[in-house]
Amino acid sequence: MATNPMHQFEVHRIGPSLSINGIDVSFTNSSLFMLISSILIITFFMIGTRKVNIIPNKIQLINEIVFNFISKMISETAGPKAKPYFPFILTIFLFILTLNMIGLLPYAFTVTSQIIITFFLAVVIFIGVTVVGFAKNGIGFLKIFAPSGVPIFLFPIIVAIEIISFLSRPVSLSVRLFANMLAGHTMLKVFGGFVVSLGIIGGWLPLSFSVALTALEILVAFLQAYVFAVLSCIYLNDALNMHH
Amino acid sequence: MKNKSIAITTYLLFFNKIAAASEGMPQLNPEFWLSQILWLTGIFIILYFLVQKFFSPKLFSLIDARADFIKSLLKEAEIYKNQIQKIDNEYNLIIAEAKNESKKLSAKLKIDFNEKTSLKKKEFENILNSETQKAEQEINTFKKETLENIQSIAGEFSKELIEKITGTAPNSSNLNAVISEISNKEKKNQYV
């Protein structure tokens, strides 16, 4: 019998219930996989930077490839002014990528399929970018809502659209990642259920679909982490290099 | 009134979410939202701190050091390239000079050889001429001697022959005069 494909997204407590000043801070399966993901990233960097050489070894080379990849992405999308934000973008990218990838393992929990996680990350980026925008440009940052060269009678509408567009950034950023992860994992679970219910005779077709979907999901996992990081850079670019 | 409406809206939204969660979207259950946010914040801050303080500077300094190292190697390579270019130019110059020298030397040798050859040829011709003259002289002498010998042999032979035929020995001076006259005639006939 096929299980409910949405059960995999349920958050449940691991260990005792913890609370600080009445706030529930219990350790959950979501927290566990966030912890595993961060430990993996730290281990990856620790091994890679343990013995750094001019001529790199394999793991150091992978470290450098990741570094150069993110560095290039930041400089291409947000320019040289965004260099101080490199560690933040790198952390965001690797954290989301690792969470997405770990979520693909059987019996693992996909943290990025939780809207509260993606939304919180998106809000942090949104607030951060807005703070940076005001810090760098002062009140002039508000020019982002007033594009130049707009006919005067269209101006109020354009400003309204720009404000809505700006405010919807955290929603679009978070829902994109959340929806992709949710849809992908649900599909995998549904096809997995078909394999079980159709058995050894009819289960081959959904199994082959499952294999193909897994490959697609690996791509999506990478792509969504990349899109999240790139969009963060683009928002940062708006704050650092005002176009309007 | 306003507070009441906010409370009702919040209540509806909250319970709608719980309803949605119970319908099939566990993500919308706010039970562990705060806990997840707190754990995410804590873990992300630690991760960010480690990346910013330790890993990022270490790898960046290494990448910069490598870039400097490559730059210094390229500079060194440029110096070596210039040196090689200089040596190559010098080599080409030496080769060109050597070619010119060899051309000059070969032309000089050719002239010397021709001069020496013509000199040797002249010497050889002189020797050849003198030798030829000597040989001709010897041949003439030998010819002369041979003719004289032939005359004396012919005289003796004629004397013996006449003596055997006639029984008396002829006068030697008359006989020699006749033989020399005949030989002179023959000589004239030969050289005419």
Side-chain angles (χ1 to χ4, degrees), chain A residues 134 137-148 155 159 162 242-244:
Chain A
F134 277 111
N137 308 293
I139 201 77
F141 182 61
L142 290 175
K143 281 183 192 167
I144 198 171
F145 304 120
S148 55
F155 199 75
V159 167
E162 286 286 338
M242 297 273 289
H243 294 305
H244 297 292

Side-chain angles (χ1 to χ4, degrees), chain B residues 93-112:
Chain B
L93 209 76
I94 290 165
I95 290 288
E97 276 176 13
K99 271 183 184 172
N100 281 339
E101 280 291 313
S102 74
K103 266 183 190 173
K104 277 181 193 171
L105 212 64
S106 128
K108 200 183 167 188
L109 278 172
K110 210 174 176 181
I111 291 163
D112 280 2

Side-chain angles (χ1 to χ4, degrees), chain B residues 37-150:
Chain B
I37 288 170
L38 286 171
W39 279 99
L40 171 67
T41 312
I43 290 168
F44 191 83
I45 285 172
I46 291 166
L47 193 61
Y48 172 69
F49 175 77
L50 288 174
V51 170
Q52 201 210 9
K53 285 281 168 196
F54 301 106
F55 307 131
S56 184
K58 209 171 179 181
L59 271 174
F60 263 131
S61 63
L62 176 81
I63 289 166
D64 288 345
R66 184 183 294 131
D68 288 345
F69 181 62
I70 290 167
K71 214 182 263 179
S72 72
L73 284 181
L74 283 174
K75 216 174 181 180
E76 213 173 310
E78 189 68 33
I79 291 165
Y80 283 131
K81 194 186 160 191
N82 288 339
Q83 279 180 358
I84 288 166
Q85 191 73 45
K86 206 177 163 186
I87 290 166
D88 192 48
N89 287 344
E90 279 173 12
Y91 167 79
N92 285 335
L93 209 76
I94 290 165
I95 290 288
E97 276 176 13
K99 271 183 184 172
N100 281 339
E101 280 291 313
S102 74
K103 266 183 190 173
K104 277 181 193 171
L105 212 64
S106 128
K108 200 183 167 188
L109 278 172
K110 210 174 176 181
I111 291 163
D112 280 2
F113 177 75
N114 286 341
E115 276 175 5
K116 276 180 185 171
T117 313
S118 61
L119 245 153
K120 285 274 174 190
K121 205 177 166 185
K122 253 180 197 172
E123 273 177 23
F124 180 71
E125 276 172 3
N126 288 341
I127 292 165
L128 198 71
N129 286 338
S130 69
E131 287 296 320
T132 313
Q133 274 176 359
K134 264 185 195 172
E136 275 174 359
Q137 271 177 359
E138 273 178 20
I139 289 164
N140 285 339
T141 318
F142 188 67
K143 224 177 184 179
K144 217 176 181 179
E145 282 173 2
T146 311
L147 275 172
E148 278 169 10
N149 286 342
I150 286 168

Side-chain angles (χ1 to χ4, degrees), chain A residues 43-216:
Chain A
T43 314
F44 168 69
F45 276 129
M46 276 178 82
I47 297 170
T49 57
R50 192 178 47 186
K51 277 183 186 174
V52 285
N53 294 313
I54 293 284
I55 297 160
N57 55 28
K58 282 175 192 170
I59 192 85
Q60 188 192 329
L61 188 68
I62 299 167
N63 266 261
E64 285 181 21
I65 288 169
V66 174
F67 254 67
N68 287 329
F69 175 69
I70 298 297
S71 180
K72 204 177 165 191
M73 183 190 79
I74 292 172
S75 63
E76 277 172 4
T77 49
K81 280 184 191 173
K83 207 186 170 185
Y85 306 97
F86 171 81
F88 180 74
I89 301 292
L90 177 72
T91 314
I92 281 272
F93 172 75
L94 282 180
F95 192 57
I96 294 173
L97 179 70
T98 322
L99 289 175
N100 290 352
M101 289 293 186
I102 287 175
L104 286 170
L105 297 173
Y107 300 106
F109 180 79
T110 317
V111 180
T112 43
S113 67
Q114 298 295 311
I115 184 71
I116 190 65
I117 298 288
T118 59
F119 188 70
F120 183 73
L121 284 173
V123 165
V124 167
I125 287 163
F126 175 76
I127 293 169
V129 163
T130 311
V131 168
V132 168
F134 277 111
K136 296 275 174 189
N137 308 293
I139 201 77
F141 182 61
L142 290 175
K143 281 183 192 167
I144 198 171
F145 304 120
S148 55
V150 177
I152 196 80
F153 62 92
L154 280 175
F155 199 75
I157 303 165
I158 295 292
V159 167
I161 291 170
E162 286 286 338
I163 290 169
I164 292 165
S165 152
F166 185 76
L167 292 175
S168 63
R169 277 177 179 182
V171 179
S172 66
L173 197 60
S174 58
V175 170
R176 184 181 298 108
L177 177 59
F178 154 73
N180 270 287
M181 290 300 113
L182 175 79
H185 286 80
T186 311
M187 288 260 278
L188 278 176
K189 188 82 175 176
V190 168
F191 276 96
F194 284 160
V195 176
V196 175
S197 29
L198 292 172
I200 196 124
I201 299 157
W204 295 103
L205 191 65
L207 181 69
S208 56
F209 274 117
S210 254
V211 172
L213 266 177
T214 308
L216 180 73

